Amino acid sequence: MIRSIAFAVGLFVALCGGSFLMVDEMVLTAKYAPEVRRDDEFRGMFMKVNNDKQKVFTPPQWLAFTLMSIGSVTMLYSVALPKKQ
C-alpha cells in the first residue's frame, strides 16, 4: 500500500514539474483585491498582478527541474521498498 502511494505521489510531482517546463506564466482568473498586499510574503514570491487585477504566476526555470527530480527520486524509492512476505 505504501509503495503504490509513494509511486503515485512521485508521479504527480514529476508530472507537475514537467508541465512547468511548457509554461511561461499562468494567469489566475479570480480578481485580486488590491487592499491586501501579499507580495512580500513567501507565497506571493513568484506572483504578480496584471492590469486586469488578476494574479500572474511565473514559475522560475529551476522549479520544473527540482519537481521532476524530487518526483523521480520518490518513484525510485517506492520501487526499492522491500515487499511484504
Side-chain angles (χ1 to χ4, degrees):
M1 180 89 171
I2 297 294
R3 173 181 283 192
S4 62
I5 291 172
F7 191 83
V9 168
L11 182 65
F12 177 75
V13 171
L15 288 176
C16 284
S19 68
F20 282 159
L21 281 176
M22 307 296 168
V23 187
D24 289 332
E25 65 181 17
M26 297 178 199
V27 179
L28 305 176
T29 58
K31 297 292 181 182
Y32 178 66
E35 305 91 39
V36 181
R37 297 290 293 176
R38 294 190 181 202
D39 296 337
D40 298 332
E41 292 182 13
F42 178 74
R43 291 182 300 165
M45 191 164 49
F46 303 114
M47 301 288 268
K48 296 178 183 174
V49 179
N50 63 4
N51 294 336
D52 296 331
K53 296 183 180 177
Q54 295 174 329
K55 287 186 178 182
V56 178
F57 174 67
T58 54
Q61 191 173 10
W62 57 264
L63 184 62
F65 296 111
T66 303
L67 289 176
M68 288 189 330
S69 63
I70 289 172
S72 300
V73 168
T74 305
M75 287 189 292
L76 288 173
Y77 173 73
S78 71
V79 171
L81 285 174
K83 293 183 180 180
K84 287 186 178 181
Q85 295 183 9

